[in-house]
Amino acid sequence: MKYANEIFFLVFALILWGLLYGSRFILMSGKTNQSKKLWLTALTLTATSFTLFALASTISLFLLTLANTCFIASFIYFGLFCRSLSILIPKNVNMLVLAGLLFFAVLFEYLRQRGLFIQRVGLVSIIGALCFVWELKELMRLKGIGSTQLRFLVYTIAIEIALTVARFVALYIDGGFSTPNLYQEGVVSASIRWAWLGISILSYVAVLGYWLEKLSIENIQVAGEHEKITELLKEKERLIYGLMKANKTAATGALSASIAHELNQPLGASNLNIQFLKMKLEKGVLNPELGKEILDSLEQDNKRAATIVKSLRSIFTEGESNTQKVLLGDLIEKVLDIVKPELKSKNIQIQLQVDNGLLIQVNSAEIEQVILNLLNNAIQALANSGTLQRRIVIDAIRDGKSVQLSVSDNGPGVIADFKSQLFELLSTTKQTGMGLGLWLCKHIVTRYGGFIQYEDAVAGGARFVIKLPQAYQ
């Protein structure tokens, strides 16, 4: 058959082009690296060389020079691929390869025109065998080749070395000195050549199998990591649910503790009035005026306790706050009336300076509670100090579009280590109490778009500053 060699080359070329198309689709879909690029380059050069071998006899025998140059280039780039599996290839290697290929092309063309076919085969066989040995050496650098596909590649390259030598020997025996070109090669050497080229295709298939094997392992790892992430997300959801449940429980506990804490004052006052009333009744010296005064006081304490419960309930449920426009000065006066007996018993002076017309939009009971907490803190701090002239200063002024209220004392102040956690829930420096007062103050003030902060008083002691948005008529 006249064109048998050309048909075989064309079939092999189509197989390689199909392999290249499929492998590019697989390898380029993910992250590309140097090894993949080198292998694809080698595969492209081999497919190109087979195509040129198929066309050379009908177009121009000069294509044989180009075909063999591409063939040698494919050996070199396949060797670089094997090396890149363990070591990064420098970029300047491409220039050296191109220079070497140019020299080979010139030498091969010279042999094609003036030399013998067996000389050309010998040149290609020697370079090919050297490249195959190099490829084996680079693969052996991979300690304990774990890939079955790379182990198969070692076998195919070893077979290629054997077939390269066998072909040259067969060509010599078949009368290679009289063979004009590739297309008139003897049957034995030609058969070995086709076996050699077929094995070279298997080498490329082995590498593609290696990439697919690696991709499969990566997919398994990704699936495993995805499963771990899913488990972590589920665990996160469980933790969030647990925290929400714990937070709800903590909020309920804080509400209960806050109610107990805030009710201590009116209940304590009621208890004193009841004891006083019982004492008068036992002595028989209770007159109507005194009885009415005590009952009025008890009623007032009862109302204050009810207001505290209602106020705290609205705070923790974040419901309607029933705000209204009130004068800050009136709220301060109400609170001072409550603490006046305690101020007198502990010999504490009040210095009051309040601007007129300071209007705020709030629930009056809540802000009264804030002021009462700050005053009680100041009273307790002064009572436990050795200060002789005990003094609490209350200032209320306009500050731009805000109203600023400050409560300061000349007591011992707050210790440095405790300042950072002053407004935290259940944090206290007192011997008694649950650390709810200042936290509750901050909670109430921030609900109205304001803020509260602590400062060291100029003359020593503690100073708490509150800012609230100013309301307008």
Side-chain angles (χ1 to χ4, degrees), residues 136 139 148-161 199 203:
L136 282 177
L139 289 173
T148 56
Q149 299 299 323
L150 288 183
R151 284 198 294 270
F152 178 69
L153 178 61
V154 170
Y155 299 140
T156 60
I157 293 174
I159 294 171
E160 284 183 273
I161 294 174
I199 293 297
S203 295

Side-chain angles (χ1 to χ4, degrees), residues 301-322:
D301 290 335
N302 183 63
K303 286 181 179 180
R304 190 151 66 89
T307 301
I308 289 171
V309 172
K310 185 178 179 181
S311 173
L312 285 169
R313 184 166 178 258
S314 69
I315 289 170
F316 284 94
T317 57
E318 299 291 344
E320 290 295 328
S321 195
N322 297 322

